Amino acid sequence: MRLTTIFAAITCASQAVAAPSVLTDLAPIHGLVSAVMGDVGTPTLLLPPRADPHSYALRPSDARALSNAELIIWVGHDLTPWLADPIAALAKDAISLELLETAGWDRRELHDDHGDDNDDHDDHGHGDYDPHAWIDPAVAAVWVGYIADQLAVVDPANAAKYQANAGSYAAELMRLRTTLKARLAPASGQPIIWPHDAYGYFEDAFDLLSVATIADAAANSPGPAHIAQLRNLPDVACVLADPEISDRWTAVIVEGTAANSGMIDLIGADVPLGADHYINTLQAMADTVVNCVGK
Ligand SMILES: [Zn+2]
């Protein structure tokens, strides 16, 4: 065989190499990774869009997905404490990128106004830091760089592509942050009751006010005394439910008050998966807040 033919054969072979097997935890993280992978491949999503990340039981197919993964990209054990052991046991050879453990962004502490007035939530598995950090696009923009770095480790042939995708996507995320800040300006300073203690990064990024949350950071059910307290808060503009905190609670809280209610979703369960998922989810969150406050 002539040398040029051999080179051609090698090139063809390397192009046919399968995309790396990448597993992600939540739909928005799947979206970030999809944007960085671009046309190289598609990551796998572990949690079904409507699953509660705070409490989830792995299915046999999830165990298979974990053992097949070369790279696992997840928010971290503060959000999904149940996922740390299966990763250690089933995905020993995989690289684990725990996004909450990365540097270059400011961690925020949890609120203390979620009202543990009727029980003890100290053992719910969360640390003192808020694990719902993806909902600030500036944090997501930092994470995208780490995602590209680890993709390059498992798939060096496409490293340049991952870095280029991450660079342009991070810039897009920062533009999104500016757009959403303008969109949310009318809601700034309005008293809002949030579903569970999960929206602090969103509040900080967009100058939104929290007067209380219905539930704590792990989305444990609120007690009757706490609900009564929320009903008595003055001048509340908007009370929000989310997929983890039922709108039955918001109905009870707004009844007989001037407050509006709405449904916000930081996981984007109704948003189609893929490279646009993250941005569409954040846009829908902003629309929900503006509509709820401005009704
Ligand atoms: Zn949560």
Side-chain angles (χ1 to χ4, degrees):
M1 213 185 327
R2 285 175 51 184
L3 206 53
T4 48
T5 317
I6 294 170
F7 280 135
I10 290 170
T11 310
C12 279
S14 72
Q15 279 169 348
V17 161
S21 153
V22 183
L23 184 65
T24 59
D25 56 350
L26 306 181
I29 306 307
H30 179 270
L32 298 178
V33 176
S34 297
V36 177
M37 290 185 78
D39 58 9
V40 175
T42 309
T44 305
L45 176 64
L46 184 68
L47 269 94
R50 298 212 167 271
D52 176 359
H54 298 293
S55 57
Y56 177 74
L58 284 178
R59 304 161 299 181
S61 60
D62 299 328
R64 272 197 300 280
L66 278 164
S67 33
N68 289 338
E70 292 167 77
L71 172 60
I72 298 169
I73 301 173
W74 56 306
V75 174
H77 61 265
D78 278 347
L79 183 71
T80 54
W82 49 268
L83 186 52
D85 285 346
I87 287 179
L90 298 167
K92 285 190 273 297
D93 300 328
I95 295 177
S96 160
L97 171 57
E98 196 169 346
L99 296 166
L100 289 174
E101 300 299 314
T102 59
W105 54 282
D106 290 328
R107 288 170 150 240
R108 64 178 301 285
E109 287 181 30
L110 287 169
H111 288 132
D112 54 10
D113 60 351
H114 52 67
D116 284 351
D117 47 25
N118 60 320
D119 50 10
D120 176 10
H121 287 162
D122 288 336
D123 56 355
H124 56 43
H126 280 60
D128 295 321
Y129 289 98
D130 182 352
H132 309 80
W134 67 91
I135 50 178
D136 180 347
V139 175
V142 173
W143 288 359
V144 157
Y146 284 91
I147 291 167
D149 289 347
Q150 294 309 313
L151 283 168
V153 171
V154 294
D155 181 21
N158 286 305
K161 209 173 229 180
Y162 296 137
Q163 296 297 349
N165 290 347
S168 57
Y169 187 58
E172 199 177 333
L173 291 173
M174 295 313 286
R175 284 194 297 275
L176 171 74
R177 199 174 193 268
T178 307
T179 309
L180 292 188
K181 201 157 197 166
R183 171 96 178 100
L184 283 161
S188 181
Q190 299 279 343
I192 297 173
I193 296 177
W194 298 84
H196 73 296
D197 193 356
Y199 295 84
Y201 282 94
F202 196 75
E203 296 156 29
D204 289 353
F206 304 117
D207 298 325
L208 299 171
L209 191 61
S210 168
V211 290
T213 66
I214 299 175
D216 66 5
N220 293 298
S221 285
H226 183 57
I227 294 297
Q229 219 174 54
L230 298 181
R231 283 185 50 78
N232 288 327
L233 287 174
D235 304 322
V236 172
C238 163
V239 184
L240 292 166
D242 70 9
E244 297 170 48
I245 298 301
S246 162
D247 57 3
R248 287 181 299 127
W249 294 116
T250 54
V252 170
I253 295 164
V254 302
E255 194 199 346
T257 77
N260 301 310
S261 62
M263 173 70 75
I264 192 166
D265 183 0
L266 78 176
I267 296 174
D270 293 329
V271 177
L273 293 177
D276 296 328
H277 181 277
Y278 178 89
I279 287 177
N280 289 337
T281 296
L282 273 275
Q283 269 164 348
M285 288 173 69
D287 288 347
T288 296
V289 172
V290 169
N291 290 334
C292 182
V293 164
K295 258 183 219 163

